[in-house]
Amino acid sequence: MLHEIINKLLTKIGEFLSKIKTKVISIITRFYCLFIGVKLGKKTIFYGIIKFKRASNSIINIGDNVRFRSSETSNLIGINHKCIIATHLPKANLKIGNNCGFSGTVIGCFNEITIGNDLKCGANTLITDSDWHLNDARSSPPKPIKIGNNVWIGYGAIIMKGVTIGDNVLIGAGSVVTKDIPANVIAGGNPCKVIKQL
Ligand SMILES: CC(C)(COP(=O)(O)OP(=O)(O)OC[C@H]1O[C@@H](n2cnc3c(N)ncnc32)[C@H](O)[C@@H]1OP(=O)(O)O)[C@@H](O)C(=O)NCCC(=O)NCCS
């Protein structure tokens, strides 16, 4: 009985401290974003320390009420690394809509990535419009990515360059999306294909 009470008390204290930590990190990160020219909407929350990198003359524009989970246990599905949100070339344009959530997500933007509203982006996901090694003859140039509204990207999925994902799509865990996915479907696999119409 006493054991249970102590356990509950410690949990409450832990939750309280973690709320304060999140508030402090969110305030500091907001100032940092102002300093490096990342545009943040209202009520963005940072659970743990995120990594931002903005190339000169590029745009990072984040909407209202977006949550970035970067600490390992801020999502109990398990986060392997912090969120890394970056533009890598001048004129790169990264836009994230309102009410989106990211857990240990890496977004690497060399050209253009546009994300709509209400994206649920599962733990350890990667969204990149480039092959990264730009001078390697085996790679092809960066191509824009467009993700619609109300999309859910499952754990560990990878969204590759040139892909458009329609509204109300669920991308299954561990998928590698290399081609466009139409609206209102569940899709999965490597390469990612439509599994079900919604
Ligand atoms: C995609 C998903 C929603 C499908 O669930 P479901 O609707 O119950 O579908 P089923 O399990 O009946 O599977 C239907 C078919 O899709 C396949 N499939 C399911 N999930 C898949 C995935 N992630 N990748 C590839 N194929 C998948 C199944 O093997 C099955 O194939 P079959 O018809 O040839 O037998 C689910 O498997 C999934 O990946 N959810 C993501 C959850 C997640 O990542 N949450 C945490 C982070 S937010």
Side-chain angles (χ1 to χ4, degrees), residues 77 122-123 152-155 170-175 186-189 195-196:
I77 201 161
W152 173 5
I153 300 176
Y155 183 102
L170 194 174
I171 302 293
S175 301
I186 295 179
I195 294 171
K196 273 182 204 172

Side-chain angles (χ1 to χ4, degrees), residues 61-63 66 68 85 94-98 100 102 107 113 115-116:
N61 202 338
I62 296 168
V66 176
F68 292 96
I85 308 298
L94 167 59
K95 185 171 180 289
I96 297 173
N98 302 321
C100 297
F102 300 90
I107 302 180
I113 298 180
I115 294 172

Side-chain angles (χ1 to χ4, degrees), residues 8-21:
K8 270 190 186 161
L9 194 68
L10 288 176
T11 307
K12 286 270 173 224
I13 292 171
E15 283 171 3
F16 177 69
L17 290 176
S18 131
K19 265 188 193 164
I20 291 180
K21 190 173 145 200

Side-chain angles (χ1 to χ4, degrees), residues 11-146:
T11 307
K12 286 270 173 224
I13 292 171
E15 283 171 3
F16 177 69
L17 290 176
S18 131
K19 265 188 193 164
I20 291 180
K21 190 173 145 200
T22 299
K23 277 246 180 256
V24 171
I25 290 175
S26 295
I27 290 168
I28 293 171
T29 308
R30 183 164 280 281
F31 277 112
Y32 179 66
C33 283
L34 204 62
F35 183 67
I36 64 166
V38 169
K39 285 186 192 144
L40 279 190
K42 287 175 264 170
K43 296 186 182 168
T44 305
I45 305 177
F46 296 93
Y47 301 87
I49 296 168
I50 189 172
K51 169 72 183 169
F52 277 115
K53 182 203 156 203
R54 189 182 70 84
S56 57
N57 296 320
S58 71
I59 295 169
I60 301 182
N61 202 338
I62 296 168
D64 295 337
N65 193 31
V66 176
R67 296 160 309 285
F68 292 96
R69 296 182 182 273
S70 292
S71 70
E72 277 174 358
T73 53
S74 59
N75 181 338
L76 290 181
I77 201 161
I79 292 176
N80 295 340
H81 49 69
K82 58 179 72 177
C83 288
I84 305 173
I85 308 298
T87 50
H88 295 277
L89 290 177
K91 296 190 181 153
N93 189 351
L94 167 59
K95 185 171 180 289
I96 297 173
N98 302 321
N99 312 315
C100 297
F102 300 90
S103 291
T105 299
V106 177
I107 302 180
C109 179
F110 291 68
N111 178 310
E112 187 170 11
I113 298 180
T114 311
I115 294 172
N117 299 322
D118 305 302
L119 170 68
K120 280 201 273 289
C121 205
N124 311 315
T125 39
L126 169 65
I127 301 171
T128 182
D129 61 359
S130 167
D131 297 326
W132 290 66
H133 294 272
L134 299 174
N135 295 326
D136 190 313
R138 292 167 292 186
S139 73
S140 60
K143 290 186 205 114
I145 289 178
K146 194 165 186 287

